[in-house]
Amino acid sequence: MDMSKLRNIGIAAHIDSGKTTLSERILFYTGKIHQIIEVRSKTGAGPTMDSMDLEREKGITIQSAATFATWKDFNINLIDTPGHIDFTVEVERALRVLDGAVLVLCAVAGVQSQSITVDRQMRRYNVPRIAFINKVDRAGANPDRVFDQLRDKLHLHPVLITMPIGIEDRFEGVVDLLKMKALYYEGDQGDAVIEREIPEHLVEEAKLRRNTMVEILADHDDNIAEKFLMEEEVSVEELMGSIRRQTIALHVTPVFVGTAKMNKGIQTLLDAVCAYLPAPHEISNYALDRDKNEEKVDLLSEPDKPAVALAFKLEDGRYGQLTYMRLYQGTLKKGDTIINTANGKRVKIPRLVRMHANEMNDIEEVAAGDIFAMFGVDCSSGDTFTDGNVNYSMTSMFVASPVIELSVKPKEKTGQVNFSKAMNRFQKEDPTFKVSRDEESGETIIKGMGELHLEIYIERIRREYNCEVLVGQPKVAYREAISRPIDFDYTHKKQTGGSGQYARVAGKIEPLSLDSPEPYEFVNSIVGGSIPKEYIPACDKGFHEQMSDGLLIGQPIVGVKVTLSDGAFHAVDSSDMAFKIASKQAMKEALAKCGPVLLEPFMKLETSSPEEFQGVIIGQINQRRGIIHSSRVDAGYVVVEAEVPLKEMFGYSSDLRSATQGKGEFTMEFLKYVTVPKGIQEEIIKDYKEKEAGK
């Protein structure tokens, strides 16, 4: 396979922008499917990429789905990702292994809250992207406004490559500003792309827009800048080469318009994916060499290098665990032995497959740059595999902390085995889904990114494991913090028959900023050996362990910096255990005097509804202790952006629906932890104490 003809791309966007519909059209035009099924089809069937029953019922994508297709002489690995914020880890893991992405935007709603989140994720992994303004045929569509939002809200450098011919219900086709031709998509399914001259009334506008495109490209390309200043004609080939180089360098974002549902503009977008998004060897990836103190090593997309692959997604299939992988360098064949560098386990590859949604196509080998799946490989998401010639580890993806929890238990005793199987599987598959056990009440606590996230897993336990579950009230995942610094000095002495225990630790505990990325920081300032080097890790461990159990309501403590500056040891009685105990006790005593406070998760909320309900929406948000940042009216719809405490948001969806005659919609994602107001903190502590007393 020619690597320059391979594209690994993802489709990402705000919920309801038309990602899955676009994926379905791409599969149709590339010949992977022979019939288009809509997302909310009356037949009960669903789009190819939404293969889970729940996805088809709810009309949303829950899991990212992978497929491969061929367009002209290019091979495309495509991943359709969810738009709902609760499944953000699915987007995260897809972008971690992809070389390029298509950012889909609704021509009416434009850049929405989740578009901003997806853009942030693309930046985190330096993923070049193309923007597709979808739904240009809808009432209220305004591609120019969306184009401006790409610049103003996402701070990208958009370059318009196609402009619409007509708008809303008069949308007929697009003008290709590179070739200066009009493209029409004719036939029942829009499969015949007809090239004609630009309609007369659009010629002037097209010339102006092409001029703007050349001007933007000239900012980053000296050759084009020179021709632009000399007013010389720039050829289509020169422009295409420049767009490609600048897209891969993340300088510009090519923008295309169309409507996936009405089959217009998709083939042009596919041409752009092949023309402007990078091949695997054009993107730099690196691993850490574990034999050389985790030194950075560039991975080269070459088939004859030692094989290095990353497992980025797990699924429990009919035949056991299915592991999705990206091969970064080397070649793997069926029957080869690979090593999981996380635990050193050797695995023989029993079966290699390419995925098409939930169907599998067996293959004999994969080469560098490819995305594939394997069966019968026991591993975790984020594990690195090599052929044994190198000992590399690839960095894993970013995983957000859960903000909501529920207590769950099987309804019948007989369901316990299936319930445990489900918990183990879901935890392994989804790093944002956490399971713990409340030792005192014996309840199983599940934690996740939002109500829908946990609701979907509870429904999956019922359906896939035939296990009815009893569910408690949703609870907010609070955190505890300290509000002032304090010095500590603690000596641990224990003298019973035989050798005793002795350790003294002294230093300072202080609060970190709430914006700090790390919840705990340890600084070793010991000089002169007052605590021997070998005991320092035990001290660190002791301080850290004590933070898992807060003093106010037993929640984890975050935002603490511990500086260990002095101490003492005994040649016979000191040990790792003694220093760990001393550190735990020192931390416990100090925390009580540090002015402990409660933190609660604040969410970023975006609510939209018809304009007439603006007052009601703002009133509801104010009642919920919300802070409104902006409200704007677009095409008869009001969009309100606010920050709200998660505690107040339970039941919001039904309140919003009833207040807006079912027309209101909202999206919510975790933003930050904020100190709880004093009166509410006292209430929460009182409830916690009553619950503890009643156990």
Side-chain angles (χ1 to χ4, degrees):
M1 184 176 71
D2 178 358
M3 183 161 317
S4 65
K5 302 283 188 188
L6 176 64
R7 299 288 178 269
N8 292 318
I9 64 157
I11 295 187
H14 184 91
I15 193 164
D16 264 354
S17 297
K19 289 178 306 303
T20 302
T21 307
L22 176 60
S23 300
E24 195 75 359
R25 297 312 187 265
I26 288 173
L27 293 182
F28 177 74
Y29 292 125
T30 55
K32 288 298 290 185
I33 56 173
H34 304 290
Q35 179 199 359
I36 293 172
I37 298 173
E38 300 303 340
V39 172
R40 291 179 176 84
S41 160
K42 301 279 184 289
T43 62
T48 314
M49 301 298 268
D50 283 353
S51 55
M52 199 194 283
D53 289 345
L54 266 169
E55 293 180 313
R56 293 180 172 184
E57 281 170 32
K58 291 182 179 284
I60 61 168
T61 302
I62 293 168
Q63 291 186 327
S64 51
T67 188
F68 68 96
T70 308
W71 178 248
K72 298 183 176 170
D73 54 349
F74 285 84
N75 291 304
I76 300 172
N77 283 315
L78 172 77
I79 298 184
D80 173 28
T81 64
H84 200 289
I85 188 63
D86 286 11
F87 308 106
T88 186
V89 72
E90 290 287 332
V91 186
E92 200 79 44
R93 61 168 124 221
L95 292 176
R96 170 68 185 84
V97 297
L98 292 170
D99 303 321
V102 178
L103 174 64
V104 184
L105 299 149
C106 170
V108 181
V111 170
Q112 294 164 277
S113 61
Q114 190 63 17
S115 323
I116 295 169
T117 303
V118 167
D119 178 68
R120 195 169 61 236
Q121 290 171 317
M122 288 179 186
R123 286 172 195 270
R124 186 179 287 137
Y125 301 110
N126 294 322
V127 177
R129 83 289 307 254
I130 284 174
F132 181 66
I133 301 175
N134 192 21
K135 304 189 180 183
V136 178
D137 59 319
R138 267 186 56 186
N142 186 344
D144 284 338
R145 188 171 55 80
V146 184
F147 183 86
D148 291 343
Q149 288 178 345
L150 280 168
R151 189 182 55 236
D152 303 336
K153 279 189 163 187
L154 296 183
H155 310 294
L156 297 171
H157 298 288
V159 181
L160 195 68
I161 311 290
T162 63
M163 68 176 239
I165 300 171
I167 204 90
E168 298 181 344
D169 55 357
R170 296 189 306 281
F171 176 62
E172 294 172 30
V174 302
V175 172
D176 180 339
L177 297 172
L178 284 165
K179 295 178 183 166
M180 289 299 276
K181 292 285 182 191
L183 302 175
Y184 296 90
Y185 305 87
E186 296 180 358
D188 289 348
Q189 312 277 15
D191 37 14
V193 183
I194 311 294
E195 197 175 280
R196 297 195 182 110
E197 291 307 312
I198 301 171
E200 260 179 57
H201 67 286
L202 290 176
V203 171
E204 279 311 305
E205 187 189 339
K207 281 180 180 169
L208 277 171
R209 289 184 186 267
R210 189 180 201 271
N211 213 32
T212 307
M213 170 177 71
V214 176
E215 197 176 337
I216 294 168
L217 294 173
D219 287 345
H220 301 281
D221 191 314
D222 293 343
N223 180 37
I224 288 181
E226 199 176 309
K227 290 199 169 185
F228 179 71
L229 291 169
M230 303 297 286
E231 295 186 6
E232 288 177 26
E233 187 57 37
V234 188
S235 73
V236 173
E237 288 69 30
E238 283 174 307
L239 287 172
M240 287 181 75
S242 180
I243 294 167
R244 177 177 181 76
R245 287 191 299 277
Q246 295 189 42
T247 302
I248 294 171
L250 305 175
H251 291 153
V252 301
T253 301
V255 180
F256 294 81
V257 298
T259 161
K261 197 164 184 189
M262 305 316 285
N263 311 318
K264 288 182 170 69
I266 312 306
Q267 297 95 317
T268 309
L269 179 70
L270 275 168
D271 287 340
V273 162
C274 301
Y276 308 127
L277 289 180
H281 65 280
E282 292 172 298
I283 289 283
S284 56
N285 288 294
Y286 69 89
L288 305 174
D289 191 338
R290 298 170 71 140
D291 293 340
K292 292 186 181 169
N293 206 12
E294 302 216 327
E295 188 183 290
K296 270 191 180 182
V297 187
D298 283 325
L299 295 175
L300 304 167
S301 298
E302 293 171 15
D304 50 355
K305 293 276 178 197
V308 180
L310 178 74
F312 67 95
K313 176 177 160 64
L314 312 178
E315 235 174 64
D316 204 36
R318 293 189 295 273
Y319 312 105
Q321 182 175 302
L322 178 65
T323 307
Y324 286 81
M325 289 195 187
R326 158 86 192 253
L327 184 61
Y328 282 91
Q329 66 174 34
T331 307
L332 289 177
K333 292 187 176 73
K334 197 170 147 183
D336 281 0
T337 300
I338 51 174
I339 293 169
N340 183 343
T341 58
N343 54 24
K345 281 187 182 168
R346 299 176 79 83
V347 184
K348 193 171 181 186
I349 302 173
R351 188 179 171 194
L352 285 174
V353 293
R354 270 219 179 87
M355 296 304 295
H356 172 42
N358 63 343
E359 293 169 21
M360 292 155 220
N361 301 72
D362 278 278
I363 46 176
E364 290 303 309
E365 70 170 358
V366 283
D370 227 339
I371 289 173
F372 62 100
M374 272 201 280
F375 272 106
V377 177
D378 186 31
C379 67
S380 298
S381 194
D383 284 359
T384 306
F385 287 84
T386 70
D387 57 8
N389 292 317
V390 287
N391 186 15
Y392 292 170
S393 167
M394 294 195 69
T395 52
S396 196
M397 63 196 175
F398 170 81
V399 177
S401 299
V403 293
I404 184 171
E405 55 186 63
L406 284 175
S407 64
V408 288
K409 62 179 178 189
K411 200 170 183 180
E412 311 289 339
K413 278 271 196 312
T414 49
Q416 189 63 50
V417 173
N418 277 0
F419 179 75
S420 299
K421 273 186 192 167
M423 291 293 114
N424 289 336
R425 171 190 161 189
F426 296 150
Q427 264 191 107
K428 210 170 178 189
E429 284 181 8
D430 181 352
T432 58
F433 178 76
K434 303 267 195 275
V435 180
S436 59
R437 188 174 162 79
D438 184 328
E439 291 307 329
E440 289 179 19
S441 65
E443 290 176 331
T444 299
I445 308 291
I446 58 173
K447 298 179 184 180
M449 301 307 296
E451 282 183 278
L452 180 68
H453 189 206
L454 297 183
E455 198 184 291
I456 293 289
Y457 277 119
I458 287 159
E459 191 57 35
R460 287 182 67 188
I461 295 168
R462 290 190 178 120
R463 292 183 186 206
E464 295 171 32
Y465 288 88
N466 197 18
C467 172
E468 285 297 322
V469 285
L470 298 170
V471 183
Q473 284 298 311
K475 284 195 305 201
V476 171
Y478 290 104
R479 295 283 180 268
E480 298 186 23
I482 56 175
S483 58
R484 56 177 178 266
I486 194 164
D487 293 325
F488 65 87
D489 190 338
Y490 185 86
T491 306
H492 170 64
K493 265 194 255 183
K494 197 173 180 191
Q495 202 66 50
T496 48
S499 66
Q501 287 183 3
Y502 178 85
R504 175 179 161 252
V505 289
K508 187 178 190 178
I509 287 175
E510 54 196 314
L512 285 168
S513 151
L514 285 183
D515 299 328
S516 169
E518 295 302 324
Y520 164 76
E521 193 181 312
F522 175 72
V523 179
N524 173 21
S525 295
I526 295 288
V527 284
S530 55
I531 299 177
K533 263 199 195 98
E534 64 265 28
Y535 296 138
I536 301 294
C539 298
D540 182 9
K541 203 170 179 189
F543 291 127
H544 200 187
E545 274 185 20
Q546 191 56 45
M547 286 176 60
S548 63
D549 191 13
L551 303 172
L552 299 175
I553 59 168
Q555 289 291 335
I557 299 160
V558 294
V560 175
K561 179 181 178 181
V562 180
T563 306
L564 183 63
S565 54
D566 198 8
F569 72 104
H570 186 280
V572 178
D573 292 350
S574 284
S575 63
D576 274 353
M577 181 55 82
F579 273 100
K580 186 177 162 185
I581 292 169
S583 302
K584 280 187 88 158
Q585 290 305 320
M587 186 73 147
K588 196 171 184 178
E589 279 188 7
L591 288 171
K593 299 170 191 165
C594 280
V597 290
L598 271 188
L599 304 176
E600 64 179 336
F602 254 61
M603 313 300 280
K604 185 168 123 192
L605 174 73
E606 186 178 279
T607 303
S608 66
S609 83
E611 206 178 331
E612 71 239 45
F613 301 112
Q614 184 168 1
V616 183
I617 289 177
I618 288 173
Q620 281 187 340
I621 294 170
N622 285 334
Q623 278 172 355
R624 292 177 146 79
R625 291 196 284 132
I627 302 155
I628 292 171
H629 286 297
S630 72
S631 78
R632 63 179 194 276
V633 176
D634 285 337
Y637 263 69
V638 62
V639 179
V640 180
E641 290 181 11
E643 289 178 17
V644 285
L646 178 61
K647 178 180 187 286
E648 310 295 338
M649 292 306 287
F650 297 126
Y652 178 64
S653 56
S654 50
D655 287 359
L656 177 67
R657 272 200 298 271
S658 57
T660 59
Q661 299 167 11
K663 295 171 188 167
E665 291 177 350
F666 76 98
T667 58
M668 189 167 70
E669 68 172 303
F670 172 70
L671 182 66
K672 59 186 174 184
Y673 270 98
V674 173
T675 309
V676 175
K678 205 161 177 45
I680 295 170
Q681 175 169 315
E682 284 164 8
E683 246 175 69
I684 295 167
I685 293 170
K686 187 178 159 211
D687 288 351
Y688 173 74
K689 285 183 173 161
E690 280 173 8
K691 191 181 159 202
E692 290 300 292
K695 278 184 182 174

